[in-house]
Amino acid sequence: MKRILLVVLCFLTFPVAASHIVGGEFEILHVSENNYRINLILYFDELNGNPDARDGNVDARIFRMRDNGVVRDISLPLVSQTPVSYTQPECSHGEIVTTKLIYSTLVTLSPNIYDEPEGYYIAWERCCRNYTITNVQSNDPTQGQFAGQTFYLEFPPVVKNGQPFIDSTPRLFPPLNDYACPNRPYYVDFAGVDDDGDSLVYSLVTPLNTKSGEAVPENGPRPRPYPDVVWRYPFNLSNVMNGHPDLKVNADGFITVTPTTQGLFVFAVKCEEFRDGVKIGEVRRDFQMLVVDRCPQAEPPQILGKKSSDESFSYDNNMNVSFTNSVIDEERCIQVQVSDPDASKADENYSERINIKVIPIGFKKDISEILPDVTSATLINGSTKVFDICFPECPYVNGPYEIGVVAYDDACSLPLYDTLKVTVNVQPPPNANPYFITPDVTATLNEGQTQTWAIQARDDDGDQLVVGLIPIGFNLQDAGMTFTIVNQANGLVNAQLQWDAYCDIYDFTKRTEFDVMVVVEDIDKCLISTPDVMRLQLKINFPPNHPPIIDSDLTDDPAERIVAGIKRQIYESLVFNVTGKDGDNDLIVLDVHGVGFNIDDYNIMFEPAAGNGLVTSQFRWDINCDKLNLQQKNVYDFQFVVVDNVNKCNFYRADTLDVLVELEPPPNTPPDILVSSLNESQRLINNSMTVKLGEQINLGLYGNDSDNFPDQDFLRLELIDAEGSVPPEGYVFVPAEGKGSIETTFSWNPDCSIFQNGVYENLYQFTFRVYDSRCFNSLADTVKVDITIKDVESDVESFNPSNFISPNGDNCNDYFALEGIDPGDPTSGCYNPEPDAVVSLPKDNCIRWFESIRIYNRWGGMVFESNSRDFRWYASGEPNGVYYYRLKYSDREYKGTVTVRY
């Protein structure tokens, strides 16, 4: 089993977070229909990289730009490994060994999925970059700040506005494989190509890091944003290499730098892709530049020029030369002489290899034809080399043009060069310009008319002619025009322009005047553009068409444009008729819309009408409160329009009528509120009442409203204010709501806490309100209830308790009590129903209250104790005699005796 497991492990590879990444980028290339090839290019450092970090497969992920949502995962297998060759192998000493790894797969990007207007991006995170990088923190993730690379590319949807949108991203970025030397200018063309001809714009950016130091994220690439790498001091995006000048890239992708410090420097270039001025994608390309002091001392070559007739090479930097059209090809030349000081140096073996090339300045064209067959030479012992530069009979542009003749050597690590700028003025062969026989045309056609104009152009040299027609700002076919070449021969062309000015066939609603340019050009030997132009300025007249007229029965004025002053209350109706007429009996359409509002949001009925010559429709608005807010809007502008747009020429003719309706609140009868006492013992007179403390207050409150159109008003009854000598607390009131009539109650049982500062009579006022919800005309009724609350009166002075009991079981004077004494058995001789015969304790109030009674025998022993006002002492088991009691109130004591006699 162990042997089997070992064999299996030998075939498994795991991502290693090790130093190996030089740089790289993504590509997405269109193959056919919705099929695309996705490539990931990774440059692998063979000298410093860990061989185990060479991945056999890459798992990238596509995200939506709009919300960073995952679209799909893409698996790209490794398909090729090729060494990156040097541009000057003789300069290499093994400082850089780089392999280009390509991971690739074919995918289908379905238009049903990849249709997001904002586009998509693909990303892959991998750690780590080289640990020997000078300008950014790049260490083993277990030992310090790591630096991975997030490979990142944005691409557009494959369909836009329902049409296929095919795009291949930029590709074929050259590697940067030669080294640079301190204090020596370095340059390289870092630009890629675009298969679609889109515009590419380059800029320097800070390289992207990965979100963690793991080799590859366990759950796949994560969405934006991605962190930047961390620059080492003093490096940053404005000081990538500490160069003088520092690393720059122009908009065309050309990199320049003069480094001052040796080291390995990482940088990133963003390439943005534009089509028709709109950005459709971008790709980030990371790479490294090695600066090492291995460049030998060298001097640039020198190039000098002379005309064929000159005796010496006297032109150093700039040169002007002119040739007439009578000069033969062999004499339409200049000579350049190239020398190089290094060809005279012993440490260069008294030899130097030089080359020349030519570049166009200010125009784009392949001009390599002006070079001789041999463009290189080896200079020995300070010798020079002369080259002939011969110009073609036809100038590259119409007029003088400028070229650069560049001489360059084989210096390490990049060639040194010198340039001679030559301004060339070549007179082209004689040629007669083409011209029109036909004069310019200015014409007006009536609608329904057809006319043809003959057009003739000539060329006196008998050159072949090309005639084209340019409509200014319109499409020829949309205007009913046809341009035809009738016959053509060398030096002559006959053509015609026919205009069928039928407005029931062609749409003239947007344009009635048409400017047409006819251009003739001859195909001369040098294809120099000398066109002639003929102009046709054409106009169309249309048949008369009377505009429609709109009217309403709101006024007697048939030409009314605005009807104002119409007022309606909510819950009323507005009804009127609107009529549209057309004197030509054209088909007209009558409709209405709200100015600043949508009439569909309201209870409005108006049926659009269509007919020939006359249409009528009724407007009806049964105004209710729904969706109205008179505080925000109380005037509504209804704009009625009658349109005639199906006449013969489809011209838009219309008339409008604005009806301004001012809305007012509906009439409203205010609600009523009533209050009554629910306790028979408490009388409410003129909404005022007086109660003693301890009596619960119970009030009934009633609200009523007589409005019932279009429905009963909704009422709410509430307590809006409660005030008094001491703020009232503890009362119970629940607001009531309902339609038509409502009721609720108020209750309160205050205690002694309402009396403060020695005042034992308080006045309270409670304010109740009932209000209705009548639309924007809410009314209310209020009632104030005054309640006076007094403390209980205590009859202390009249307190005269009994002092004799006979507990013999005859139901007559059997116990000693001071509250609620039984008047006795009516059948006995002690029955006394008179009220004043019943002794009561002084009433409890907020000043004083009963606390306890204690009864003692004549020896001072307590024989009875109670904390209840309703105590009863039956003297059970006590002998005859006199007993003493102590009656305790909160503010005083009463003492007395009671005699017990059986």
Side-chain angles (χ1 to χ4, degrees):
M1 178 63 70
K2 291 183 180 179
R3 291 187 60 192
I4 295 175
L5 179 60
L6 179 61
V7 171
V8 171
L9 290 176
C10 288
F11 287 95
L12 295 179
T13 59
F14 301 93
V16 176
S19 168
H20 67 287
I21 298 176
V22 172
E25 70 277 344
F26 270 114
E27 296 174 346
I28 300 182
L29 307 178
H30 180 251
V31 178
S32 64
E33 297 181 343
N34 297 318
N35 301 312
Y36 290 80
R37 177 168 293 281
I38 299 181
N39 296 328
L40 182 136
I41 300 169
L42 186 148
Y43 291 95
F44 193 97
D45 188 341
E46 298 289 357
L47 292 180
N48 301 300
N50 187 329
D52 293 334
R54 193 186 309 267
D55 301 312
N57 193 77
V58 162
D59 293 320
R61 181 166 289 167
I62 295 176
F63 300 88
R64 288 188 298 269
M65 294 283 289
R66 173 174 55 85
D67 59 1
N68 294 323
V70 175
V71 180
R72 66 174 292 187
D73 290 336
I74 303 292
S75 180
L76 298 94
L78 179 62
V79 297
S80 72
Q81 304 181 62
T82 57
V84 176
S85 60
Y86 291 94
T87 56
Q88 294 199 116
E90 64 273 10
C91 294
S92 174
H93 298 281
E95 296 88 351
I96 303 176
V97 179
T98 305
T99 297
K100 181 179 182 180
L101 308 181
I102 298 181
Y103 300 84
S104 182
T105 190
L106 280 172
V107 298
T108 298
L109 303 182
S110 170
N112 297 326
I113 299 175
Y114 294 89
D115 59 353
E116 290 273 347
E118 295 90 341
Y120 304 84
Y121 65 94
I122 184 171
W124 182 58
E125 298 176 73
R126 185 61 167 99
C127 196
C128 296
R129 299 177 189 262
N130 284 337
Y131 297 156
T132 57
I133 297 174
T134 304
N135 57 343
V136 303
Q137 299 282 356
S138 181
N139 304 302
D140 188 316
T142 63
Q143 299 178 7
Q145 177 67 53
F146 64 89
Q149 179 175 343
T150 295
F151 295 76
Y152 180 85
L153 177 142
E154 297 175 6
F155 62 97
V158 299
V159 60
K160 283 189 176 182
N161 300 319
Q163 299 298 318
F165 190 84
I166 296 174
D167 177 61
S168 291
T169 63
R171 64 185 182 90
L172 294 180
F173 293 99
L176 186 69
N177 50 356
D178 293 310
Y179 58 85
C181 293
N183 303 310
R184 182 171 292 188
Y186 182 90
Y187 56 90
V188 65
D189 187 355
F190 208 51
V193 298
D194 189 274
D195 294 339
D196 309 303
D198 295 325
S199 298
L200 305 180
V201 178
Y202 298 84
S203 60
L204 280 178
V205 290
T206 299
L208 293 179
N209 203 344
T210 51
K211 292 189 174 184
S212 67
E214 56 187 325
V216 176
E218 181 178 354
N219 296 319
R222 292 154 288 198
R224 301 178 306 178
Y226 301 106
D228 293 336
V229 297
V230 178
W231 297 98
R232 297 182 188 271
Y233 180 81
F235 302 101
N236 52 54
L237 186 57
S238 300
N239 184 32
V240 176
M241 297 178 58
N242 202 27
H244 188 72
D246 197 49
L247 184 73
K248 302 292 181 186
V249 61
N250 67 10
D252 294 326
F254 195 77
I255 288 177
T256 58
V257 65
T258 300
T260 60
T261 307
Q262 297 188 66
L264 183 62
F265 300 90
V266 69
F267 64 94
V269 172
K270 179 172 67 175
C271 175
E272 297 175 285
E273 184 181 10
F274 292 84
R275 184 175 297 181
D276 297 327
V278 177
K279 180 178 175 180
I280 61 173
E282 77 171 47
V283 60
R284 283 174 170 258
R285 204 286 174 91
D286 287 22
F287 219 82
Q288 294 176 173
M289 182 184 298
L290 177 66
V291 180
V292 58
D293 194 7
R294 289 192 177 277
C295 297
Q297 292 298 320
E299 295 184 59
Q302 183 183 34
I303 184 169
L304 299 174
K306 81 178 187 68
K307 302 175 183 177
S308 299
S309 59
D310 295 341
E311 294 184 359
S312 62
F313 292 91
S314 58
Y315 295 99
D316 190 354
N317 296 313
N318 296 282
M319 180 178 181
N320 289 281
V321 60
S322 296
F323 302 100
T324 67
N325 55 23
S326 62
V327 174
I328 61 175
D329 291 344
E330 291 77 8
E331 295 179 356
R332 201 180 305 107
C333 301
I334 64 171
Q335 288 186 315
V336 295
Q337 174 185 279
V338 180
S339 61
D340 194 308
D342 293 330
S344 301
K345 296 178 180 179
D347 54 0
E348 295 290 342
N349 296 320
Y350 299 102
S351 68
E352 185 74 8
R353 184 77 173 174
I354 58 95
N355 295 269
I356 63 168
K357 64 180 179 179
V358 288
I359 56 174
I361 300 176
F363 64 97
K364 290 186 177 181
K365 198 167 278 189
D366 181 9
I367 62 171
S368 59
E369 62 177 330
I370 70 174
L371 289 170
D373 294 336
V374 177
T375 58
S376 62
T378 301
L379 305 182
I380 306 296
N381 294 322
S383 64
T384 62
K385 176 62 177 178
V386 175
F387 299 93
D388 291 328
I389 307 295
C390 295
F391 304 98
E393 176 185 14
C394 294
Y396 290 114
V397 297
N398 192 8
Y401 58 89
E402 190 175 49
I403 67 165
V405 185
V406 181
Y408 58 97
D409 61 15
D410 59 353
C412 293
S413 68
L414 290 174
L416 301 178
Y417 59 88
D418 187 26
T419 302
L420 174 66
K421 292 182 180 180
V422 183
T423 301
V424 184
N425 190 1
V426 175
Q427 183 182 22
N431 179 57
N433 295 334
Y435 59 93
F436 282 103
I437 299 296
T438 311
D440 291 346
V441 174
T442 300
T444 299
L445 268 67
N446 292 322
E447 188 277 328
Q449 182 180 355
T450 295
Q451 185 163 334
T452 302
W453 291 273
I455 301 170
Q456 187 180 81
R458 290 182 178 275
D459 185 87
D460 294 340
D461 296 325
D463 291 333
Q464 183 180 351
L465 296 178
V466 177
V467 176
L469 184 140
I470 304 173
I472 308 301
F474 70 98
N475 183 282
L476 202 67
Q477 185 177 0
D478 292 345
M481 297 183 187
T482 305
F483 180 71
T484 307
I485 302 295
V486 178
N487 55 66
Q488 187 171 5
N490 287 343
L492 175 67
V493 65
N494 287 296
Q496 68 178 25
L497 176 67
Q498 179 175 312
W499 189 14
D500 299 322
Y502 303 123
C503 67
D504 53 349
I505 300 177
Y506 306 106
D507 184 6
F508 295 105
T509 58
K510 297 180 181 179
R511 181 186 291 268
T512 60
E513 296 184 3
F514 303 89
D515 191 1
V516 180
M517 293 176 54
V518 187
V519 181
V520 62
E521 178 66 274
D522 65 340
I523 304 177
D524 60 282
K525 183 176 183 179
C526 292
L527 299 179
I528 296 176
S529 179
T530 55
D532 191 23
V533 177
M534 171 191 169
R535 298 192 66 173
L536 294 92
Q537 295 177 302
L538 308 178
K539 185 178 180 180
I540 185 172
N541 278 336
F542 299 99
N545 181 37
H546 297 93
I549 298 174
I550 195 169
D551 188 23
S552 76
D553 57 10
L554 290 169
T555 72
D556 295 331
D557 183 6
E560 59 192 356
R561 173 62 187 84
I562 297 177
V563 178
I566 297 180
K567 296 184 180 181
R568 288 293 187 275
Q569 291 180 336
I570 294 177
Y571 303 131
E572 290 185 336
S573 296
L574 174 63
V575 181
F576 58 91
N577 295 312
V578 182
T579 301
K581 299 179 181 179
D582 186 87
D584 302 313
N585 204 38
D586 291 332
L587 179 65
I588 55 177
V589 177
L590 177 66
D591 205 349
V592 66
H593 72 275
V595 179
F597 66 97
N598 188 349
I599 63 173
D600 292 337
D601 293 339
Y602 303 88
N603 189 29
I604 295 170
M605 290 176 287
F606 185 84
E607 195 70 29
N612 287 86
L614 177 67
V615 291
T616 300
S617 187
Q618 185 186 73
F619 176 91
R620 182 181 184 90
W621 187 9
D622 297 321
I623 306 167
N624 56 40
C625 200
D626 293 347
K627 299 185 180 179
L628 293 178
N629 188 337
L630 299 189
Q631 296 174 347
Q632 294 181 359
K633 183 178 182 64
N634 69 329
V635 177
Y636 288 79
D637 183 356
F638 296 93
Q639 188 171 86
F640 297 87
V641 58
V642 60
V643 178
D644 167 17
N645 63 353
V646 290
N647 50 74
K648 178 181 179 182
C649 292
N650 295 321
F651 280 109
Y652 184 88
R653 296 285 190 268
D655 190 20
T656 59
L657 169 66
D658 285 81
V659 177
L660 306 181
V661 181
E662 181 179 352
L663 298 185
E664 298 177 340
N668 187 20
T669 302
D672 297 320
I673 186 170
L674 297 174
V675 60
S676 65
S677 173
L678 301 180
N679 293 343
E680 294 182 1
S681 60
Q682 297 172 351
R683 298 185 61 190
L684 187 65
I685 302 175
N686 295 328
N687 295 329
S688 298
M689 65 188 309
T690 301
V691 299
K692 290 184 179 180
L693 190 71
E695 298 178 2
Q696 179 163 316
I697 303 166
N698 293 296
L699 300 177
L701 296 120
Y702 310 90
N704 183 66
D705 190 280
S706 61
D707 292 312
N708 56 17
F709 178 80
D711 195 3
Q712 290 180 318
D713 286 347
F714 185 84
L715 303 180
R716 178 176 173 83
L717 196 157
E718 59 188 13
L719 174 64
I720 62 173
D721 194 20
E723 58 184 12
S725 306
V726 175
E729 295 179 352
Y731 54 81
V732 177
F733 175 80
V734 178
E737 294 181 345
K739 287 187 175 182
S741 62
I742 54 176
E743 62 181 64
T744 187
T745 59
F746 172 90
S747 62
W748 189 23
N749 191 6
D751 57 25
C752 289
S753 63
I754 68 171
F755 298 133
Q756 297 179 9
N757 302 321
V759 177
Y760 295 94
E761 180 176 329
N762 287 357
L763 176 63
Y764 293 93
Q765 187 175 76
F766 295 90
T767 304
F768 301 91
R769 178 179 67 182
V770 62
Y771 63 92
D772 61 21
S773 60
R774 199 70 167 169
C775 187
F776 300 104
N777 190 14
S778 178
L779 297 178
D781 188 21
T782 60
V783 62
K784 296 181 184 292
V785 179
D786 295 323
I787 301 177
T788 302
I789 302 177
K790 296 181 178 181
D791 198 2
V792 176
E793 295 182 0
S794 181
D795 50 353
V796 176
E797 304 303 328
S798 62
F799 176 52
N800 186 18
S802 62
N803 59 2
F804 177 83
I805 63 171
S806 57
N808 55 10
D810 60 358
N811 294 325
C812 184
N813 208 20
D814 280 344
Y815 56 83
F816 176 62
L818 297 176
E819 184 77 7
I821 299 176
D822 189 345
D825 187 347
T827 63
S828 67
C830 62
Y831 175 71
N832 188 355
E834 296 298 324
D836 57 359
V838 179
V839 179
S840 294
L841 286 169
K843 295 181 179 178
D844 286 348
N845 61 14
C846 296
I847 299 176
R848 64 183 59 87
W849 54 89
F850 173 85
E851 289 187 347
S852 64
I853 184 170
R854 291 183 175 87
I855 301 177
Y856 302 87
N857 59 23
R858 59 188 175 185
W859 294 285
M862 186 171 67
V863 297
F864 180 78
E865 180 182 19
S866 177
N867 298 112
S868 172
R869 291 175 60 92
D870 297 331
F871 71 87
R872 299 287 187 268
W873 183 46
Y874 288 91
S876 299
E878 298 294 337
N880 292 331
V882 177
Y883 290 83
Y884 305 89
Y885 65 82
R886 178 179 294 173
L887 187 64
K888 181 173 176 55
Y889 268 72
S890 58
D891 64 338
R892 64 176 63 185
E893 286 188 352
Y894 297 93
K895 298 180 181 180
T897 63
V898 59
T899 300
V900 176
R901 182 82 44 114
Y902 293 93

